[in-house]
Amino acid sequence: MNLPFDPIERAHDNWSQRWGASPAMAAVTSLMRAQQILIGELDGALKPFGLTFARYEALVLLTFSSSGSLPLGKIGERLMVHPTSVTNTIDRLEGQGLVLRRPNPSDGRGVLAEITDAGREVTEEATQALLGMDFGLGCYSDEELWRMHEMFTRLRVDFGDFPAPVAGAVEGR
């Protein structure tokens, strides 16, 4: 866009004149714009692999599973998305030959999504592409990224995604 001014800052100025200063309004508007930017960048990087970020997340989740398969309900729970979104995602991945559906042996009515060898291959290639672009966040240091993660963890805990982590128990650092 390359605008000569920050439209979010301008919106906040206007907001402040009408309703008073609101750092929350400025922050959430910036956050929503950041999400738009990142989804565009991530989906663009994944397009050569025939993936969107949502489909990529499902494939990664399946690769993390010890058996390479998970019930559709568990996929929705772990990705924190509606069952309809899971069905659509798995439909697309199945159509691409990256996932297949099979009956869940431990639940006669349930269905498992299982990653195929082609799905594993595409996941590895797509992961390298995303790592190569720092998931669109290359303008931040590792320290800034960890702080950002911690800030959003607090929001997610507050909204009930999961219980607060025990202090000092953050993995991977």
Side-chain angles (χ1 to χ4, degrees):
M1 285 189 199
N2 204 18
L3 297 172
F5 63 92
D6 180 351
I8 294 172
E9 193 65 37
R10 173 96 33 103
H12 184 260
D13 290 345
N14 290 329
W15 182 282
S16 295
Q17 290 173 17
R18 184 163 186 160
W19 293 297
S22 176
M25 174 273 182
V28 78
T29 306
S30 293
L31 180 62
M32 299 306 286
R33 176 61 184 137
Q35 181 195 25
Q36 291 172 334
I37 291 167
L38 291 172
I39 289 295
E41 291 294 305
L42 297 170
D43 283 351
L46 293 169
K47 189 174 184 172
F49 305 101
L51 298 175
T52 61
F53 194 69
R55 282 185 248 158
Y56 171 77
E57 285 183 304
L59 287 173
V60 168
L61 182 60
L62 290 171
T63 67
F64 289 162
S65 166
S66 59
S67 65
S69 65
L70 286 170
L72 299 188
K74 187 65 72 181
I75 293 171
E77 178 183 301
R78 299 262 171 88
L79 296 179
M80 295 177 273
V81 298
H82 192 273
T84 304
S85 295
V86 174
T87 300
N88 183 41
T89 297
I90 298 304
D91 284 348
R92 294 293 195 94
L93 291 170
E94 189 175 35
Q96 293 173 274
L98 304 177
V99 164
L100 54 92
R101 278 186 172 90
R102 61 181 185 86
N104 186 344
S106 62
D107 174 5
R109 298 171 296 136
V111 175
L112 296 175
E114 183 175 298
I115 192 165
T116 64
D117 289 341
R120 289 182 189 281
E121 212 172 286
V122 147
T123 302
E124 289 299 324
E125 293 171 6
T127 298
Q128 292 309 309
L130 293 175
L131 287 169
M133 63 172 292
D134 288 324
F135 283 83
L137 296 172
C139 62
Y140 296 103
S141 69
D142 285 352
E143 182 181 315
E144 289 171 314
L145 292 168
W146 281 120
R147 278 199 321 262
M148 190 183 307
H149 168 68
E150 289 166 359
M151 287 173 36
F152 291 128
T153 297
R154 188 169 64 195
L155 175 75
R156 295 169 50 228
V157 165
D158 190 57
F159 275 85
D161 277 0
F162 55 93
V166 176
V170 177
E171 294 182 31
R173 302 188 345 193

